[in-house]
Amino acid sequence: MALFDKKNKETFLDPISKNNPVVVQVLGICSALAVTSKLEPSIVMALSVTVVIAFANVIISLLRKTIPNNIRVIVQLVVTATLVTLVSEFLEAFAFDLNKQLSVFVGLIITNCIVMGRLEAFAMTNKPWPSFLDGLGNGLGYGLILVIVGFFRELFGSGTLLGYQVIPDSLYEAGYVNNGLFILPPMALIIVAVIIWVHRSWKPELQEEA
């Protein structure tokens, strides 16, 4: 079986668009509220979750035939918690300021429905390579939404991107004012709702029947 045959491509690409865990399955919404007021923490959180899902999927896939069924969830939690701790330690060592902002939320990756869902639904029944692609695709699909939300919240809420001012002073002198609503958590829900609306308009087969 080729590394990137049709099935593996679908496993990787579907969660990024067609079956995105946030806009289709409406999972991982809490993170979108908590960390997306700025673009930088959104990117870091997206990468952290992607790393945890991808490697947790691989480890559980490698162990799947040796894990007793009645303790499989405990094993999944231990593997996820170990990876989350490693990611947290990495951030503390190389991005200390960001780690102070995100430490609570990085720790809560262990409770992310997407992570546990992929371990139970995919890694427990598939080989390591497809499991890695599934984790990578779901992590990137989740991260894509976080980055989009973080982009618009920082741009319109603070007039900056990654901390750099992008709205010119001349616009402020002309009367433009940053929209404080974008800084508040409810705006994340509104932006996610708009993304879901656009996505389902683009793919009408995802729309539920009235």
Side-chain angles (χ1 to χ4, degrees), residues 95-156:
F96 184 72
D97 290 337
L98 269 176
N99 184 60
K100 286 197 295 185
Q101 295 179 42
L102 293 174
S103 59
V104 173
F105 306 109
V106 169
L108 289 175
I109 291 175
I110 191 173
T111 65
N112 190 307
C113 304
I114 301 171
V115 178
M116 297 305 294
R118 297 325 298 168
L119 295 178
E120 183 71 10
F122 197 93
M124 287 297 293
T125 55
N126 287 277
K127 294 180 178 178
W129 177 243
S131 296
F132 177 74
L133 292 177
D134 176 78
L136 196 62
N138 276 278
L140 292 176
Y142 162 87
L144 175 65
I145 303 305
L146 250 65
V147 169
I148 292 173
V149 175
F151 175 88
F152 285 108
R153 290 186 70 189
E154 181 173 353
L155 177 62
F156 293 111

Side-chain angles (χ1 to χ4, degrees), residues 71-210:
I71 64 166
R72 70 185 190 285
V73 175
I74 296 174
V75 175
Q76 293 167 9
L77 286 171
V78 170
V79 169
T80 306
T82 302
L83 290 169
V84 169
T85 302
L86 291 175
V87 168
S88 181
E89 292 295 317
F90 179 86
L91 291 176
E92 187 169 355
F94 296 101
F96 184 72
D97 290 337
L98 269 176
N99 184 60
K100 286 197 295 185
Q101 295 179 42
L102 293 174
S103 59
V104 173
F105 306 109
V106 169
L108 289 175
I109 291 175
I110 191 173
T111 65
N112 190 307
C113 304
I114 301 171
V115 178
M116 297 305 294
R118 297 325 298 168
L119 295 178
E120 183 71 10
F122 197 93
M124 287 297 293
T125 55
N126 287 277
K127 294 180 178 178
W129 177 243
S131 296
F132 177 74
L133 292 177
D134 176 78
L136 196 62
N138 276 278
L140 292 176
Y142 162 87
L144 175 65
I145 303 305
L146 250 65
V147 169
I148 292 173
V149 175
F151 175 88
F152 285 108
R153 290 186 70 189
E154 181 173 353
L155 177 62
F156 293 111
S158 303
T160 61
L161 285 175
L162 295 174
Y164 296 99
Q165 182 176 334
V166 293
I167 295 182
D169 291 333
S170 57
L171 203 56
Y172 287 108
E173 291 168 1
Y176 177 80
V177 177
N178 291 328
N179 190 333
L181 179 61
F182 277 82
I183 301 299
L184 301 177
M187 198 62 208
L189 280 181
I190 294 172
I191 297 174
V192 170
V194 170
I195 296 172
I196 291 174
W197 173 69
V198 171
H199 188 256
R200 296 194 181 196
S201 298
W202 176 43
K203 293 186 175 297
E205 66 271 19
L206 295 174
Q207 297 177 18
E208 296 86 359
E209 294 184 4

